[in-house]
C-alpha cells in the first residue's frame, strides 16, 4: 500500500506533528477499532497458545510491528543515504524487500524462545594437541 502511495506516510507524519492528529483522529480511531485491535488479539492468542512471548504487552508489540514499514517510508531519504542510494531513497524493490524483512523481524521478536537442540561443537584442535 505504501509503495503505491508514497506520499501517504509523510502526509500522516505531518498531520501528527503539525496538527496533533486533529484531522486524522477519525481515521486513527477507525484503525484502532479494526486492524490494530485485530493485531493485538492475534498477538494475545499467540501468547495464550505458547507461540508468542508472554512477557510482551500485546499493544506495544503491535505498535512496534506496525511502525516498522511506515517509518522506512517516512524517512526514505535518510534510509536511501544509509543504504548508499542517495536522498532519492531505496528502489521500490528494496522497499518491498524491507517490508518482507520487517515482517520476519517482527515475528522473530514475538516468537517464544524454545530450547534448541544442542549443537555438536567443533573439536578444538589446540586443546586436543596438548
Amino acid at each position: 500500500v505504501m509503495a503505491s502511495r508514497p506520499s501517504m506516510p509523510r502526509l500522516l507524519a505531518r498531520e501528527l506533528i503539525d496538527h496533533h492528529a486533529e484531522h486524522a483522529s477519525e481515521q486513527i480511531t477507525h484503525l484502532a477499532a479494526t486492524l490494530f485491535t485485530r493485531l493485538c488479539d492475534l498477538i494475545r492468542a499467540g501468547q495464550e497458545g505458547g507461540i508468542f512471548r508472554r512477557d510482551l504487552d500485546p499493544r506495544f508489540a503491535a505498535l512496534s510491528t506496525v511502525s516498522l514499514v511506515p517509518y522506512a517510508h517516512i524517512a526514505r531519504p535518510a534510509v536511501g543515504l544509509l543504504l548508499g542510494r542517495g536522498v532519492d531513497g531505496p528502489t521500490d524493490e528494496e522497499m518491498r524487500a524491507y517490508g518482507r524483512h520487517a515482517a520476519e523481524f517482527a515475528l522473530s521478536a514475538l516468537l517464544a524462545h524454545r530450547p534448541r537442540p544442542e549443537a555438536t561443537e567443533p573439536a578444538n584442535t589446540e586443546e586436543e594437541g596438548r
Side-chain angles (χ1 to χ4, degrees):
V1 170
M2 299 209 183
S4 67
R5 297 180 182 146
S7 61
M8 183 179 72
R10 289 185 186 158
L11 288 173
L12 181 57
R14 288 305 296 223
E15 170 63 19
L16 296 173
I17 293 166
D18 294 341
H19 305 286
H20 303 287
E22 181 181 319
H23 304 103
S25 61
E26 185 178 324
Q27 292 83 358
I28 293 169
T29 301
H30 176 72
L31 281 173
T34 56
L35 297 175
F36 186 75
T37 299
R38 284 180 42 204
L39 181 55
C40 290
D41 290 345
L42 284 169
I43 292 169
R44 277 188 204 94
Q47 289 173 319
E48 291 167 7
I51 297 167
F52 293 154
R53 295 171 45 190
R54 294 177 190 262
D55 63 323
L56 299 174
D57 182 323
R59 300 165 307 152
F60 296 160
L63 279 172
S64 295
T65 300
V66 300
S67 66
L68 291 169
V69 172
Y71 176 78
H73 284 271
I74 292 165
R76 196 169 183 160
V79 172
L81 289 169
L82 291 170
L83 298 179
R85 293 285 188 192
V87 294
D88 288 337
T91 66
D92 288 343
E93 180 53 39
E94 286 173 318
M95 292 303 284
R96 283 189 292 277
Y98 174 75
R100 290 186 296 274
H101 160 80
E104 290 176 17
F105 188 83
L107 282 173
S108 293
L110 288 168
L111 288 175
H113 299 290
R114 296 196 170 109
R116 295 183 184 185
E118 298 225 6
T120 307
E121 292 188 30
N124 186 340
T125 54
E126 283 184 37
E127 288 185 21
E128 287 178 357
R130 288 184 195 172

